[in-house]
Amino acid sequence: MTSGDDVFTTRTGPASPAAPPDSPHTPARASGRETARLAARIVAPTLAGGVIIRRRTGMALAERYQVDRRAIALLGELRGEHGPGPLRLDVAGRRFAVLLHPEDAGRVLAGTPDPYTPATREKRAALEQFQPHGVLISTEEERGGRDERRAFNEAVLEYGKQTHSLAPALVRTVREEAGKLLGAATAGDGEIDWRRFHTAWNRTVRRIVLGDAARDDTALTAMLDRLRSAGNWSFAAPRRTALRDRFERRLRAHLDRAEPGSLAAALSRTPAAPGTDPAGQVPHWLFAFDAAGIAAFRTLALLSTHGRQRDQVRGELAVTDLSAPHLLPYTRACVLDTVRLWPTTPFLLRESVRETRWGADTLPAGTGFLIYAPLFHRDEALPYADRLTPEIWLDGTARHTEALLPFSAGPAGCPGEDLVLLATSTALAALLERHDYLPERPARLRPDRPLPRTLDHFSLRLAALPR
Ligand code: HEM
């Protein structure tokens, strides 16, 4: 088993040792017209696309109208007009500040959870539907508060360790399911579309998280998806408590087995502080593995048109015994860069728990801070903004560029990052080892043109061809 130096990390560290200095940037106020434009160009399409679970029609429209390109252009225009300070706006009686400077984004993420809590009102309303005790929406005031839940997540997910101790079982599972996906595709019409990929990915995820006996429990995933759909409506949706109870009972039955080789087994042997609610952390894992599937499928689509990067991946696979866990740095970097290009969490939200100082001014407690990651990931000043460039995660470029945040950063940065990169790179290795892929619409992801800023993963279709 290979481990290695932390060469691709996107994180600023599990804990921030010191509060970051105040920002020199003074906030500016958006006019009523600018607020309306922001709502129309950014908030409405984001809600239509689905924040907690993606909606097929919303994503199709988002790609057709390239909503991220338009959103980035608008924010760039407002930055030109008002300067780099936070842009203040009021929406539905609530005070928000959109961060326009990459250093301010880093500052707010590093200042989590005090003064900037990730448990914002909007996130709580949405995520309480299926993970009321999830770390992301936990506050310090609760019994078994944020710190304990964070520590528990880090311990089970083995944050900071690139090769999880469950890697041998994980690699076996991922390769088996990828093999079955390919077998079914090549025995049929040879096509892998999102529906087929997602079905196989969900089986893989249930096995990794809950064990082999959960492989075919599609009812569990369907329940979670319904709760996530309710979460899409945030405050507007009634609590689905009966459905949540049924989901939790079914989930606990799987966790109680603590099947060897699964995260459920790791969870059962990890000490937890009182009030942590270990089982209550698992819905987030199941939910977040969906994003990993989207990232893996988009990466496969990109590699189907990007010959140079595909050759690099193949070079890495050729010298590796893929039946055992290995680091696969370049393949991992391809996934990281795909998430940079199309962040699965485009909006990072924080809320201040006390007054904060910004340049010559202050913003009151309760201000919602919005970080729109594509603004920084696709900044035209970056030579690689719109190109697949895995190299930036290997040569230090990404590490030294402010606000490249595919897995967020700071004390609430994604503790699943290492596990995600292990699972997705293993899946890509299994899929690319003996197959080539032909995209249905190759012009969409041409390597010699800027990549689109919005990519609807639902509509990607690839023909799998044995090599
Ligand atoms: C491609 C896949 C994934 C991406 C891009 C991703 C990204 C992120 C991001 C951006 C955040 C921060 C959200 C915020 O600041 O509001 C986050 C938080 C989190 N992620 Fe992931 N994630 C992925 C998959 C996973 C998986 C599979 C797990 C668990 C197995 C996981 C566990 C968590 C947890 C527990 C948090 C909350 C951290 C906290 O509040 O301290 N993630 N993730």
Side-chain angles (χ1 to χ4, degrees):
M1 191 182 301
T2 322
S3 135
D5 287 342
D6 217 356
V7 283
F8 347 82
T9 188
T10 53
R11 50 185 171 260
T12 55
S16 102
D22 290 336
S23 170
H25 304 125
T26 302
R29 203 182 174 86
S31 68
R33 191 169 162 271
E34 288 167 339
T35 303
R37 287 177 77 202
L38 282 163
R41 278 217 210 164
I42 304 183
V43 181
T46 303
L47 295 179
V51 178
I52 306 297
I53 188 166
R54 297 278 179 267
R55 296 190 182 100
R56 191 175 271 272
T57 40
M59 281 303 296
L61 286 172
E63 178 170 330
R64 174 151 359 125
Y65 294 106
Q66 283 296 304
V67 299
D68 292 282
R69 182 166 51 75
R70 294 152 70 97
I72 293 166
L74 174 59
L75 289 174
E77 187 189 316
L78 294 173
R79 186 164 51 193
E81 194 118 321
H82 293 285
L87 189 61
R88 278 265 304 102
L89 50 122
D90 295 331
V91 181
R94 175 122 155 77
R95 213 181 281 261
F96 287 101
V98 184
L99 298 180
L100 299 175
H101 196 286
E103 277 171 17
D104 288 341
R107 187 171 272 122
V108 164
L109 294 176
T112 299
D114 186 343
Y116 305 109
T117 177
T120 66
R121 275 168 255 183
E122 295 75 15
K123 254 192 258 179
R124 289 177 75 109
L127 296 179
E128 268 169 1
Q129 289 281 8
F130 61 97
Q131 48 157 314
H133 296 160
V135 57
L136 191 55
I137 55 167
S138 298
T139 59
E140 265 326 286
E141 293 76 53
E142 289 170 55
R143 181 169 170 269
R146 175 176 172 79
D147 281 357
E148 290 78 6
R149 290 179 181 157
R150 172 77 197 186
F152 185 80
N153 273 274
E154 287 189 10
V156 179
L157 303 174
E158 297 186 11
Y159 182 48
K161 194 169 155 199
Q162 289 183 320
T163 309
H164 197 284
S165 59
L166 297 175
L170 182 145
V171 167
R172 239 185 348 266
T173 300
V174 171
R175 288 178 62 77
E176 263 173 41
E177 295 298 340
K180 284 181 187 157
L181 169 67
L182 283 169
T186 44
D189 58 9
E191 190 175 85
I192 300 187
D193 61 5
W194 170 250
R195 195 183 54 76
R196 284 186 181 160
F197 182 87
H198 193 219
T199 304
W201 185 253
N202 279 341
R203 289 185 182 130
T204 314
V205 169
R206 286 189 296 265
R207 288 179 70 185
I208 294 174
V209 179
L210 304 172
D212 293 351
R215 176 183 190 267
D216 296 314
D217 192 356
T218 50
L220 182 83
T221 308
M223 283 183 203
L224 179 58
D225 286 354
R226 281 166 60 203
L227 291 167
R228 291 172 60 191
S229 296
N232 267 353
W233 295 99
S234 192
F235 298 106
R239 296 288 98 168
R240 308 277 318 257
T241 33
L243 177 60
R244 197 176 83 203
D245 288 350
R246 275 194 287 135
F247 167 72
E248 283 178 359
R249 273 199 303 278
R250 206 171 174 107
L251 178 62
R252 271 171 206 274
H254 286 300
L255 293 173
D256 287 347
R257 279 196 322 275
E259 204 180 295
S262 68
L263 287 177
L267 175 139
S268 73
R269 58 174 178 261
T270 303
T276 302
D277 186 10
Q281 307 309 307
V282 182
H284 187 99
W285 304 349
L286 291 169
F287 146 72
F289 257 120
D290 221 22
I294 296 173
F297 196 49
R298 283 177 170 156
T299 310
L300 188 64
L302 273 177
L303 291 173
S304 75
T305 56
H306 286 63
R308 185 182 65 74
Q309 290 84 344
R310 186 175 59 241
D311 289 347
Q312 286 269 98
V313 168
R314 288 245 161 82
E316 185 165 83
L317 306 186
V319 295
T320 311
D321 167 14
L322 296 176
S323 61
H326 286 282
L327 207 51
L328 303 176
Y330 193 83
T331 313
R332 285 183 182 226
C334 288
V335 178
L336 271 172
D337 211 44
T338 301
V339 187
R340 172 187 67 83
L341 288 162
W342 300 290
T344 49
T345 314
F347 273 107
L348 300 171
L349 265 70
R350 296 290 182 268
E351 188 172 306
S352 52
V353 294
R354 54 188 161 79
E355 185 183 82
T356 51
R357 170 150 293 284
W358 293 85
D361 210 343
T362 57
L363 289 173
T367 301
F369 288 83
L370 269 78
I371 298 168
Y372 180 59
L375 176 68
F376 307 118
H377 292 192
R378 298 288 194 117
D379 184 338
E380 268 153 23
L382 304 173
Y384 50 82
D386 297 317
R387 314 261 172 199
L388 174 66
T389 318
E391 291 73 17
I392 62 166
W393 301 98
L394 300 167
D395 65 9
T397 305
R399 190 199 286 263
H400 295 112
T401 306
E402 197 80 50
L404 293 186
L405 307 162
F407 285 88
S408 188
C414 178
E417 174 177 349
D418 298 297
L419 191 63
V420 166
L421 294 177
L422 174 68
T424 50
S425 61
T426 304
L428 287 165
L431 293 168
L432 285 160
E433 198 182 351
R434 291 199 204 90
H435 289 79
D436 281 319
Y437 296 86
L438 269 183
E440 187 193 40
R441 286 163 49 199
R444 200 174 178 193
L445 297 176
R446 279 176 61 155
D448 56 344
R449 296 243 184 95
L451 288 165
R453 295 204 166 156
T454 307
L455 179 66
D456 168 22
H457 58 282
F458 288 108
S459 62
L460 293 172
R461 301 170 100 88
L462 302 168
L465 310 170
R467 300 173 71 206

